[in-house]
């Protein structure tokens, strides 16, 4: 996303994991303990730890990937918002935007907003939306302090898992920035995103 907002304090960032965990728990409070435990077990097998925080159904397209479309890319984004504000955007049916995942800066918390089989609207290019997984990262393109060790490690583990599931090569040709999507007018993840470090982490995850 390219919208700009006020930068939160580091103290606010460090509280984000606890806040987001509570928010996710609130969204699933009606789930029975047995169902919740089963869902956690499935998530542990398929991903690094993630939390389901559904986007508005108006902000993505239901599909049956990879049957309907092959998954060929992972697209890396930076939110230009706090996690909480970006989460509200994905849940606002008027916004017409979403990503499959978002990674928090302070602790690497991962929220999932759209199922991988469905088409999130993140790339600004219909073909790339159809054939990619979009991962947002909390922060601003001109504030490298948001790109923490925890964020890199958590995101790289997620990208590695996605690549393994769909046979996506773990290379820069297939793990791309939003700014590399054809016809994209966004600049994220920006000059401070350490691509060499990130790809090395993906390959070793």
């Amino acid at each position: 996303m390219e919208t700009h907002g006020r930068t939160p304090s580091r103290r606010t960032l460090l509280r984000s994991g606890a806040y987001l965990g509570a928010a996710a728990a609130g969204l699933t409070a009606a789930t029975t303990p047995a169902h919740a435990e089963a869902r956690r077990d499935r998530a542990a097998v398929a991903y690094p730890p993630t939390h389901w925080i559904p986007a508005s159904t108006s902000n993505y397209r239901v599909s049956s990937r990879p049957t309907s479309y092959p998954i060929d890319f992972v697209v890396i984004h930076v939110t230009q918002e706090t996690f909480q504000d970006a989460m509200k955007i994905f849940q606002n049916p008027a916004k017409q935007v979403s990503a499959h995942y978002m990674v928090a800066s302070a602790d690497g918390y991962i929220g999932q907003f759209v199922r991988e089989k469905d088409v999130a609207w993140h790339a600004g290019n219909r073909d790339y939306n159809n054939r990619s997984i979009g991962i947002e990262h909390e922060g601003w393109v001109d504030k490298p302090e948001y790109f923490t060790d925890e964020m890199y490690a958590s995101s790289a583990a997620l990208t590695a898992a996605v690549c393994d599931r769909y046979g996506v090569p773990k290379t820069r040709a297939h793990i791309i920035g939003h700014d590399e999507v054809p016809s994209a007018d966004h600049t994220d993840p920006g000059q401070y995103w350490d691509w060499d470090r990130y790809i090395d982490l993906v390959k070793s995850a």
Side-chain angles (χ1 to χ4, degrees), residues 19 43 54 66 68 71 119 144 173 177 198:
Y19 171 87
S68 53
I71 294 176
V119 177
Y198 189 69

Side-chain angles (χ1 to χ4, degrees), residues 1 12 15 18 28-29 39 55 61 63 65 67 82 116 124 126 142 163 178 196-197 203:
M1 288 183 296
T12 299
R15 290 200 302 258
T28 59
R39 185 165 60 229
R61 188 170 78 253
S63 187
R65 303 186 312 167
T67 302
T82 65
E116 290 179 2
R126 183 181 178 89
D142 58 349
C163 290
H178 193 181
D196 290 341
R197 176 185 183 188
K203 289 179 178 179

Side-chain angles (χ1 to χ4, degrees), residues 21-40:
L27 286 169
T28 59
T31 305
T32 67
H35 288 169
E37 183 175 356
R39 185 165 60 229
R40 283 195 300 271

Side-chain angles (χ1 to χ4, degrees), residues 4-114:
H4 292 264
R6 183 172 60 85
T7 304
S9 68
R10 187 65 177 169
R11 183 178 180 185
T12 299
L13 275 176
L14 291 172
R15 290 200 302 258
S16 66
Y19 171 87
L20 296 166
L27 286 169
T28 59
T31 305
T32 67
H35 288 169
E37 183 175 356
R39 185 165 60 229
R40 283 195 300 271
D41 289 346
R42 288 195 299 272
V45 170
Y47 310 98
T50 65
H51 300 83
W52 175 240
I53 312 172
S56 167
T57 56
S58 297
N59 292 342
Y60 64 90
R61 188 170 78 253
V62 173
S63 187
S64 57
R65 303 186 312 167
T67 302
S68 53
Y69 305 99
I71 294 176
D72 299 322
F73 300 98
V74 176
V75 180
I76 301 300
H77 302 262
V78 172
T79 58
Q80 299 295 96
E81 302 280 356
T82 65
F83 192 116
Q84 294 93 327
D85 286 346
M87 177 174 67
K88 291 174 185 176
I89 289 170
F90 293 165
Q91 294 175 331
N92 182 339
K95 294 297 186 179
Q96 301 287 284
V97 66
S98 62
H100 292 93
Y101 297 97
M102 182 160 48
V103 185
S105 173
D107 54 8
Y109 172 101
I110 302 172
Q112 182 174 4
F113 296 84
V114 177

